[in-house]
Amino acid sequence: AQSVTQLDSQVPVFEEAPVELRCNYSSSVSVYLFWYVQYPNQGLQLLLKYLSGSTLVKGINGFEAEFNKSQTSFHLRKPSVHISDTAEYFCAVRVRGTGGFKTIFGAGTRLFVKA
Amino acid sequence: KAGVTQTPRYLIKTRGQQVTLSCSPISGHRSVSWYQQTPGQGLQFLFEYFSETQRNKGNFPGRFSGRQFSNSRSEMNVSTLELGDSALYLCASSSTSGDTQYFGPGTRLTVL
């Protein structure tokens, strides 16, 4: 069975500081990897995804993530955060099965950017 | 292209009532999935429809049901509402390749 662990439930950080949100997954089969962001009372917005190819993927709003197969990790990074980055971030894996795809989400990391 | 749309955005119901939520996927997408999001349980998968057929189902009671129409629009129904059904219900669509899901803004259901 697949699982996704987001290692930090909350990450406070000062504005303009760098941030890393950690995500580890377990799966015995190949997965697609995603980061989504959710602002209050809104849906999930796709930040970036890894399907294949280069292990460093760049997304919207200056975020990037690196797929590390040996460590089964997909950590999200941003070199300099803004107040507007305050939101909840979800890591997800998507696996192809006999009945189509299945998505497993992490519990989320709440990023709080302080002035 | 327009994104995934969900209506209504907010709903208030009382226990015992039933509710129907609607989701219109991105044009050309044939797969629609539904999720329930609560502070305690996080994001939980309800079901997925593809070309009008339920392809996958999560671990929810039979009070939760859904359907998909020939234009790929989907509806979700919850009967005999309980207080614990209060949640944000999210719909996501994906193309035939299925590799990426795109989410709608959600419907916030409050059961009193």
Side-chain angles (χ1 to χ4, degrees), chain A residues 6 19 21 34-49 59-63 74 76 78 81-92 105-106 108-113, chain B residues 37 43 88 90 101-106:
Chain A
Q6 292 186 239
V19 71
L21 307 184
F34 303 85
W35 276 98
Y36 289 91
V37 60
Q38 186 177 36
Y39 300 100
N41 284 316
Q42 293 188 29
L44 274 63
Q45 181 182 4
L46 181 65
L47 263 182
L48 48 77
K49 62 183 178 182
I60 61 171
N61 301 341
F63 284 94
F74 191 54
L76 181 71
K78 185 169 182 178
V81 294
H82 302 292
I83 297 285
S84 59
D85 293 323
T86 295
E88 186 140 27
Y89 293 78
F90 291 92
C91 179
F105 287 93
T109 296
R110 189 168 298 276
L111 176 64
F112 179 60
V113 182
Chain B
Q37 185 180 28
L43 280 152
L88 182 66
L90 293 165
Q101 286 184 304
Y102 297 90
F103 284 81

Side-chain angles (χ1 to χ4, degrees), chain A residues 94 99 101 103, chain B residues 3-6 21-35 45-57 66-76 89-96 98 100-104:
Chain A
R94 196 149 160 85
F101 281 92
T103 304
Chain B
V4 179
T5 58
Q6 291 186 245
L21 314 182
S22 180
C23 171
S24 292
I26 292 171
S27 177
H29 286 192
R30 291 161 61 190
S31 168
V32 173
S33 297
W34 289 88
Y35 295 85
F45 172 71
L46 280 154
F47 28 66
E48 181 201 7
Y49 286 86
F50 181 83
S51 293
E52 301 179 66
T53 300
Q54 188 180 86
R55 189 158 69 171
N56 282 302
K57 189 176 189 307
R67 59 179 176 168
Q68 186 179 34
F69 302 94
S70 58
N71 62 358
S72 294
R73 189 177 70 85
S74 176
E75 286 182 349
M76 188 194 113
Y89 290 88
L90 293 165
C91 163
S93 76
S94 58
S95 66
T96 306
T100 304
Q101 286 184 304
Y102 297 90
F103 284 81

Side-chain angles (χ1 to χ4, degrees), chain A residues 40-42, chain B residues 6-13 21 88 105-110:
Chain A
N41 284 316
Q42 293 188 29
Chain B
Q6 291 186 245
T7 56
R9 291 293 314 277
Y10 301 91
L11 265 179
I12 299 176
K13 293 285 187 180
L21 314 182
L88 182 66
T107 294
R108 170 74 62 187
L109 173 64
T110 302

